[in-house]
Amino acid sequence: MDFRLTDDQRVLRAGVRELLEGRFPRERLRAVVDAGPPVVDRALWRELGGAGFFALRLAEADGGVGLGLPEAVLVFEEAGRALLPGPLVATHLAAGVVAGAAEGRAVVTALDAAGQAASGSAGPLVEHLASADAVLVIGDEGDGGGEGGGGGEGGGGIGVRSAAGLARSARPVRSVDPATPLHRLDRGGGPGRGERWSATGPTGRRSAARLRREAVLLTAALQLGSAARTVEMAVRHAQERSQFGRAIGAFQAVQHLCAGMLVRAETARSVVYAAAVTEDASEVAAAKLLADEAAVRNARDCLQIHGGMGFTWEADVHLHLKRAWVRAEQWQTAAEAEEGLAAGLLAGL
């Protein structure tokens, strides 16, 4: 079987990279980080919608692009490489369900109600709640529908809530990533009076388990993009920075760090791409596990290669590390991925 990218996939990836380099360069990233409490750039969101970012997997008959999960992974990898902020995964999954999401006119965040149930007394976290118009709620498969909570008609634990309604039972918490604001939902915070919580359309007909699996894989793709980008940053700095009259890339210790970063990124890439084809739960868990490790450890090694300047606010290395930390806790943690892989191995015995 040939797992190499097709010509169309290469063109798609190059086109998305060119779009993001033009619409979200480093200067725009720094403006988001330095501006204070971050909000979603609505103009950029509409540009992404116009480019088909959110409607990529929506059928052409429904106004979408009509591509598949492998293509979505390539697009999200580029978004991770650019450190594009905002609830990208949730808005993508909500295309065709929430009015305006596919076109980028609506910002949709997500509440992983079942996935965060293990957080003890603390409620689940929601990103970019203050900027969102709606919240995609993914709970247990057995959740009921209607105004009492859960998944709506036939939704199987999938629902849509208004962001304003959810915000009444949430409080802001400090985020390690300056470009990803977080709110913690109070335990027991259900729909408000007169607020409808329902699911319709293509997403409403998909199971909560499948929707969460897609969210895990797309988050892994974001991590993969960040891991690959930090490899580029480390290699460039090692070529440009001189010490003792020679580029630091000539020293074996730096070469080993860069080689290890490349191995982690390419290993994660192969698993993420394979999981996009098979959509197997165990392979998706492995993809998230390896992509999280590559993103976090590569950012740390990149920071090490940059030396003292890597710790400064002006350097971009710390932004990749902080975003990687946040994403590693979204949708599926390392512990949850390991448990899923172990269950899959036991089931195959």
Side-chain angles (χ1 to χ4, degrees):
M1 185 175 293
D2 189 355
F3 280 99
R4 291 177 295 182
L5 299 182
T6 65
D7 290 340
D8 287 343
Q9 288 172 332
R10 292 191 186 93
V11 170
L12 173 65
R13 184 172 64 179
V16 173
R17 180 173 298 189
E18 182 179 358
L19 170 69
L20 294 180
E21 287 176 347
R23 297 293 188 269
F24 195 75
R26 179 186 182 274
E27 295 75 19
R28 200 161 180 178
L29 170 64
R30 297 304 311 202
V32 170
V33 171
D34 296 333
V39 295
V40 172
D41 186 335
R42 293 280 179 160
L44 176 61
W45 214 249
R46 288 191 295 271
E47 289 183 44
L48 293 174
F53 190 100
F54 303 118
L56 192 71
R57 293 190 299 140
L58 203 60
E60 292 185 60
D62 296 322
V65 183
L67 297 179
L69 195 56
E71 288 75 25
V73 161
L74 294 176
V75 169
F76 273 75
E77 181 184 350
E78 291 302 315
R81 181 180 181 275
L83 278 186
L84 188 66
L88 301 166
V89 172
T91 304
H92 176 87
L93 294 178
V97 179
V98 176
E103 300 84 4
R105 291 185 289 105
V107 176
V108 184
T109 188
L111 169 59
D112 183 15
Q116 302 236 19
S119 58
S121 59
L125 292 171
V126 182
E127 65 170 328
H128 293 278
L129 181 60
S131 296
D133 302 299
V135 181
L136 185 66
V137 183
I138 305 179
D140 293 317
E141 291 290 343
D143 286 349
E147 295 206 2
E153 298 177 3
I158 304 169
V160 178
R161 290 193 59 183
S162 74
L166 190 68
R168 289 194 289 268
S169 59
R171 63 188 187 278
V173 296
R174 185 174 182 180
S175 173
V176 67
D177 177 15
T180 306
L182 298 173
H183 279 73
R184 188 175 294 282
L185 179 66
D186 293 336
R187 284 293 184 184
R193 180 181 298 276
E195 181 187 359
R196 185 163 180 77
W197 185 355
S198 62
T200 58
T203 297
R205 292 193 293 270
R206 296 210 297 272
S207 71
R210 179 180 175 183
L211 206 63
R212 184 178 291 107
R213 188 164 63 246
E214 292 173 354
V216 170
L217 183 59
L218 294 177
T219 304
L222 291 171
Q223 293 281 61
L224 171 60
S226 179
R229 178 58 177 157
T230 50
V231 173
E232 298 172 6
M233 294 168 65
V235 171
R236 184 177 66 247
H237 185 77
Q239 292 172 335
E240 296 174 351
R241 175 67 173 173
S242 296
Q243 191 67 268
F244 305 113
R246 45 197 306 211
I248 63 172
F251 298 105
Q252 193 174 58
V254 174
Q255 293 174 359
H256 284 178
L257 282 176
C258 291
M261 292 172 65
L262 179 62
V263 169
R264 280 194 293 268
E266 292 304 313
T267 300
R269 187 190 307 278
S270 64
V271 179
V272 170
Y273 284 8
V277 174
T278 66
E279 298 187 43
D280 178 78
S282 295
E283 294 190 16
V284 170
K288 181 62 159 57
L289 192 65
L290 289 173
D292 284 344
E293 180 186 24
V296 172
R297 292 188 60 185
N298 277 14
R300 286 175 172 169
D301 285 351
C302 183
L303 193 150
Q304 183 73 22
I305 290 171
H306 277 71
M309 68 172 294
F311 289 88
T312 64
W313 182 260
E314 289 74 16
D316 293 343
V317 183
H318 71 98
L319 299 177
H320 281 274
L321 179 57
K322 291 171 180 176
R323 186 72 60 84
W325 279 335
V326 171
R327 288 186 186 136
E329 298 300 316
Q330 290 179 324
W331 295 109
Q332 189 175 64
T333 64
E336 291 167 342
E338 290 167 353
E339 287 292 332
L341 285 171
L345 291 172
L346 289 174
L349 294 179

